[in-house]
């Protein structure tokens, strides 16, 4: 004997048919949700790729024009210097004294605001309590950009 399930209105179906229909609907919903999620993820990834990735895989840190000759800029956790025209170098922005972030590149020096350490544009200590040079970061020029790597 088949048990009948009543639904609002005049429509009637047995339990087995109702369960099968529910399963099909759930499967279809899952497929649409997964498909939709995948597309969103792919779109976001390609947007990020365009924004930060250069063709050969380096991450753009700055435009070369942003880095003054005889000076430098701080971009995130990287200090980029250009001691002489075309001689770009990269360093961690973490001061080697007690780990503050250096905050300024001026007068040919990279300066830490915490206890007065100063570093030359090649990362070596110029003054203050820092016990050693800033850690080097690999950077290179790619077109008009300074990129990591
Ligand atoms: S942490 Fe930079 S000088 Fe002390």
């Amino acid at each position: 004997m088949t048990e009948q399930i009543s639904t609002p209105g005049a429509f009637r179906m047995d339990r087995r048919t109702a369960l099968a229909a529910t399963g099909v609907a759930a499967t279809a919903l899952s497929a649409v949700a997964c498909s939709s999620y995948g597309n969103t993820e792919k779109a976001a990834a390609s947007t990020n790729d365009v924004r930060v990735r250069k063709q050969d895989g380096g991450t753009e840190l700055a435009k070369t024009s942003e880095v003054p000759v005889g000076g430098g800029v701080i971009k995130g956790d990287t200090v980029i210097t250009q001691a002489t025209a075309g001689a770009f170098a990269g360093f961690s922005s973490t001061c080697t004294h007690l780990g503050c972030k250096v905050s300024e590149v001026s007068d040919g020096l990279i300066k830490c605001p915490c206890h007065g350490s100063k570093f030359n544009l090649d990362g070596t200590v110029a003054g203050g309590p820092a016990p050693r040079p800033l850690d080097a970061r690999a950077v290179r020029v790619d077109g008009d950009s300074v990129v990591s790597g």
Side-chain angles (χ1 to χ4, degrees):
M1 174 172 174
T2 305
E3 184 181 342
Q4 296 293 312
I5 298 174
S6 294
T7 57
F11 185 76
R12 296 174 69 89
M13 70 174 74
D14 65 50
R15 178 185 294 254
R16 186 170 294 167
T17 304
L19 288 174
T22 302
V24 168
T27 303
L29 247 163
S30 294
V32 168
C34 290
S35 165
S36 190
Y37 174 76
N39 287 341
T40 302
E41 193 172 52
K42 283 178 192 168
S46 66
T47 299
N48 286 340
D49 288 348
V50 169
R51 185 167 46 92
V52 298
R53 287 282 178 187
K54 301 296 284 182
Q55 286 182 340
D56 58 358
T59 299
E60 180 180 90
L61 299 170
K63 296 293 183 191
T64 55
S65 59
E66 295 178 79
V67 186
V69 176
V73 294
I74 301 169
K75 294 288 186 173
D77 61 357
T78 303
V79 182
I80 305 159
T81 63
Q82 186 178 194
T84 59
F88 293 91
F91 306 95
S92 166
S93 65
T94 302
C95 179
T96 56
H97 177 224
L98 293 178
C100 288
K101 294 294 183 186
V102 297
S103 61
E104 178 184 351
V105 182
S106 62
D107 304 321
L109 296 169
I110 304 163
K111 300 173 181 175
C112 179
C114 291
H115 312 101
S117 286
K118 295 179 178 131
F119 302 88
N120 296 304
L121 297 179
D122 64 358
T124 56
V125 177
R132 61 180 177 81
L134 293 171
D135 292 332
R137 289 260 171 95
V139 297
R140 61 189 164 77
V141 173
D142 182 3
D144 65 349
S145 300
V146 179
V147 300
S148 62

